[in-house]
């Protein structure tokens, strides 16, 4: 390789030091692995001498760089080469969609199936759908914040989990040297999403009305277990009779399995949400009697099952819960075809009246009920009964005591009558000290 001086317009002002600089710049490019050789020279523009070189940009196009001194030209060229290298690197990084799928595959090794299902749904819906075609190295903080705008209209918990996924994915890419900067460093979960209302436990009156409304109906056993054992939905639907001990002096059940669905098909796993989820729960008399009656007529190994004795699919559970929804006064809509057209009808139930198309259904519930609300009611009743927080934590299957204490504080200290008693005692002690 040799340095070609034939195209140079060298003036008398080019001294030996400057020639030395140009020659050394050539060898700098040669030995730093550049895929092209820059051309150096001088040109006169409007009577001013400029030093010039040409380099190829990230698209392979020649770009001229000018400077008044060799040192300035060298600095400009070095900076330009770094920028070109970065741009080329970013273009070679995988797309967001490609890396997200790889990241999900890596997570499958050490997270629960239900957790992976949740990750997959959120990543594909809120990350790949928004940024999937962009290169990982080209994603900026602005891109991510714009992609989070639709997510901000969802619940605060969903928003927080999506932000955490963004940060986890880009941190992993950074650690694996897929990207050279992490755009999520300053990304925060604060202020995003719609705040959720505090969960409200059912009152004793609401519990009684709920049980009366669904007695002898399919969801009755499910509701009883939720109210009087505090199991999560996935724990109730995975509960088998081999985990229910009704013939002991103190009847109890053991939580050792969890339910989830894959493509609407039920999957029963021995892997629980946390280690704390595996627990023994004593049964109050009303629940023990309910389960004894259910077991006598059951032909399934599952406490709550479908007609074939198998665990419920997701659709079957929705139908099970619909027995409760149809008995509330919540306004609802349905569609019918009339004269070949799809017509929307809105029903506004009146408390105490029968359903127009099903005389067996009476609108007897003027409050809404969710599966988790049953569990929250159980925990709330434990606290109101002065069960100590550590026992509540165990029975609820909370891994973190913070979760239990947050609920405990809201329940225990959100009653003025209880606060007055506590505060009165405290002030009485202070008065005694002062006197």
């Amino acid at each position: 390789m040799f340095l070609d001086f034939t195209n140079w317009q060298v003036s008398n002002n080019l001294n030996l030091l400057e020639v030395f600089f140009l020659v050394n710049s050539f060898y700098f490019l040669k030995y730093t692995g550049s895929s092209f050789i820059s051309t150096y020279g001088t040109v006169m523009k409007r009577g001013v001498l400029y030093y010039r070189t040409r380099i190829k940009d990230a698209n392979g196009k020649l770009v001229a760089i000018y400077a008044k001194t060799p040192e300035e030209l060298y600095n400009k060229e070095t900076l330009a080469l770094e920028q070109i290298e970065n741009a080329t690197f970013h273009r070679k990084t995988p797309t967001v969609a490609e890396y997200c799928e790889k990241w999900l595959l890596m997570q499958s090794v050490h997270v629960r199936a239900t957790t992976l299902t949740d990750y997959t749904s959120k990543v594909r819906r809120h990350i790949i759908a928004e940024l999937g075609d962009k290169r990982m190295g080209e994603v900026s903080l602005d891109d991510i914040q714009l992609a989070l705008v639709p997510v901000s209209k969802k619940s605060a918990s969903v928003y927080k989990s999506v932000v955490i996924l963004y940060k986890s994915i880009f941190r992993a890419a950074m650690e694996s040297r897929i990207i050279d900067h992490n755009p999520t460093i300053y990304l925060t979960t604060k202020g995003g999403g719609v705040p959720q209302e505090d969960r409200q436990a059912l009152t004793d009156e609401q519990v009684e009305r709920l049980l009366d409304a669904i007695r002898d109906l399919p969801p009755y056993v499910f509701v009883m277990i939720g109210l009087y054992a505090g199991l999560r939905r996935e724990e109730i639907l995975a509960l088998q009779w081999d985990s229910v001990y009704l013939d002991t002096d103190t009847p109890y059940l053991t939580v050792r399995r969890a339910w989830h669905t894959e493509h609407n098909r039920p999957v029963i796993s021995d892997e629980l949400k946390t280690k704390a989820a595996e627990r023994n729960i004593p049964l109050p008399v009303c629940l023990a009697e309910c389960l004894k009656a259910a077991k006598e007529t059951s032909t399934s190994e599952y406490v709550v099952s479908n007609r074939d004795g198998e665990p419920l699919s997701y659709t079957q559970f929705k139908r099970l819960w619909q027995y409760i929804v149809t008995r509330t006064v919540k306004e609802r809509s349905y569609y019918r075809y009339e004269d070949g057209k799809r017509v929307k009808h809105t029903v506004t139930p009146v408390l105490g009246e029968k359903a127009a198309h099903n005389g067996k259904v009476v609108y007897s519930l003027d409050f809404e009920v969710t599966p988790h609300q049953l569990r929250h009611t159980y925990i709330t009743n434990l606290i109101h009964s002065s069960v100590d927080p550590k026992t509540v934590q165990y029975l609820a299957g909370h891994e973190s005591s913070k979760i239990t204490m947050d609920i405990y504080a809201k329940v225990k200290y959100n009653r003025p009558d209880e606060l007055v008693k506590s505060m009165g005692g405290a002030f009485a002690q202070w008065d005694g000290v002062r006197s």
Side-chain angles (χ1 to χ4, degrees):
M1 299 180 69
F2 61 93
L3 190 61
D4 185 3
F5 289 89
T6 58
N7 293 326
W8 284 20
Q9 299 178 26
V10 183
S11 71
N12 292 331
N13 296 325
L14 190 64
N15 57 40
L16 289 175
L17 177 63
E18 292 164 341
V19 171
F20 177 78
F21 154 74
L22 294 171
V23 172
N24 275 279
S25 295
F26 161 75
Y27 284 109
F28 168 79
L29 286 171
K30 175 181 177 182
Y31 288 108
T32 54
S34 175
S35 59
F36 54 88
I37 301 175
S38 298
T39 303
Y40 295 92
T42 58
V43 295
M44 295 292 294
K45 284 190 173 184
R46 298 179 181 179
V48 179
L49 176 68
Y50 286 92
Y51 296 90
R52 180 189 69 184
T53 184
R54 292 188 179 95
I55 62 175
K56 288 183 179 180
D57 64 13
N59 297 316
K61 182 181 177 180
L62 280 174
V63 178
I65 302 176
Y66 297 90
K68 291 184 178 180
T69 66
E71 291 83 3
E72 183 184 1
L73 182 64
Y74 176 82
N75 291 334
K76 282 187 174 181
E77 180 190 22
T78 302
L79 178 61
L81 289 173
E82 289 178 357
Q83 292 173 341
I84 291 169
E85 184 180 358
N86 288 338
T88 304
F89 172 78
H90 290 161
R91 290 184 180 182
K92 290 180 180 179
T93 59
T95 65
V96 172
E98 291 169 344
Y99 189 76
C100 282
E101 294 294 347
K102 178 181 178 180
W103 183 85
L104 287 169
L105 181 61
M106 292 187 292
Q107 297 306 302
S108 66
V109 177
H110 53 81
V111 300
R112 294 191 311 143
T114 51
T115 303
L116 183 63
T117 299
D118 181 60
Y119 284 178
T120 302
S121 173
K122 287 173 179 171
V123 166
R124 290 176 179 171
R125 183 176 301 175
H126 302 301
I127 301 180
I128 294 177
E130 298 291 336
L131 301 175
D133 293 334
K134 290 185 73 72
R135 296 284 174 181
M136 287 289 291
E138 297 175 340
V139 176
S140 67
L141 178 59
D142 285 350
D143 293 326
I144 295 173
Q145 289 178 328
L146 286 173
L148 284 170
V149 171
V151 189
S152 67
K153 296 177 174 60
K154 298 185 179 297
S155 70
S157 62
V158 170
Y159 183 88
K160 180 180 180 180
S161 61
V162 173
V163 169
I164 291 172
L165 285 171
Y166 265 113
K167 294 176 79 70
S168 299
I169 289 168
F170 280 90
R171 183 173 61 247
M174 184 77 178
E175 291 171 352
S176 299
R177 298 183 180 179
I178 301 295
I179 56 178
D180 58 1
H181 75 284
N182 184 351
T184 67
I185 290 177
Y186 300 108
L187 191 63
T188 176
T189 62
K190 293 182 179 179
V194 180
Q196 292 176 295
E197 295 182 3
D198 288 339
R199 295 190 181 100
Q200 297 296 324
L202 297 176
T203 64
D204 292 342
E205 180 196 2
Q206 289 174 331
V207 168
E208 186 177 351
R209 288 167 59 188
L210 172 61
L211 294 176
D212 286 343
I214 61 170
R215 200 174 304 275
D216 298 325
L217 294 176
Y220 185 76
V221 173
F222 180 97
V223 170
M224 286 290 291
I225 297 173
L227 286 172
Y228 295 107
L231 271 62
R232 302 175 176 93
R233 179 182 66 171
E234 62 265 28
E235 295 169 347
I236 298 175
L237 295 179
L239 185 63
Q240 297 181 19
W241 290 114
D242 65 0
S243 299
V244 181
Y245 304 93
L246 299 172
D247 298 326
T248 61
D249 293 337
T250 304
Y252 70 98
L253 62 79
T254 299
V255 179
R256 61 165 69 110
R257 303 181 183 94
W259 167 96
H260 72 274
T261 60
E262 295 178 6
H263 308 293
N264 197 38
R265 296 181 178 179
V267 177
I268 305 300
S269 171
D270 293 332
E271 188 178 10
L272 299 176
K273 186 174 183 178
T274 63
K275 291 182 179 179
E278 186 171 347
R279 58 204 189 276
N280 297 321
I281 301 177
L283 306 179
V285 175
C286 62
L287 179 55
E289 294 299 325
C290 171
L291 292 175
K292 285 179 182 178
K295 188 175 183 180
E296 289 177 1
T297 59
S298 175
T299 58
S300 170
E301 61 182 351
Y302 291 92
V303 177
V304 177
S305 65
N306 60 21
R307 293 179 180 177
D308 298 324
E310 298 298 321
L312 302 185
S313 66
Y314 180 76
T315 302
Q316 288 170 337
F317 174 75
K318 294 289 285 185
R319 282 203 295 266
L320 178 83
W321 199 255
Q322 201 63 23
Y323 280 95
I324 297 174
V325 175
T326 55
R327 285 161 173 78
T328 68
V329 294
K330 180 181 179 181
E331 186 176 273
R332 63 202 68 141
S333 299
Y334 65 93
Y335 292 87
R336 280 188 176 181
Y337 282 92
E338 299 175 2
D339 298 327
K341 295 181 180 180
R342 191 167 180 256
V343 180
K344 181 180 179 179
H345 294 270
T346 300
V347 177
T348 306
V350 177
L351 189 65
E353 292 188 358
K354 293 182 178 181
H357 303 290
N358 187 350
K360 294 181 179 180
V361 173
V362 178
Y363 302 126
S364 53
L365 305 175
D366 56 358
F367 53 91
E368 295 183 39
V369 186
T370 65
H372 190 81
Q373 201 172 9
L374 307 177
R375 169 176 164 81
H376 188 66
T377 301
Y378 172 79
I379 296 171
T380 300
N381 287 336
L382 290 177
I383 295 170
H384 281 324
S385 299
S386 299
V387 177
D388 67 274
K390 207 64 184 174
T391 302
V392 174
Q393 180 184 349
Y394 171 78
L395 292 173
H398 289 154
E399 186 173 39
S400 169
S401 59
K402 182 181 183 304
I403 299 173
T404 310
M405 291 308 298
D406 285 347
I407 299 173
Y408 194 92
K410 288 179 182 178
V411 172
K412 189 73 173 176
Y413 303 118
N414 198 31
R415 300 177 67 181
D417 55 337
E418 295 292 334
L419 283 172
V420 166
K421 294 176 184 177
S422 300
M423 292 171 63
F427 288 132
Q429 291 179 358
W430 292 354
D431 290 339
V433 172
R434 289 172 184 169
S435 60

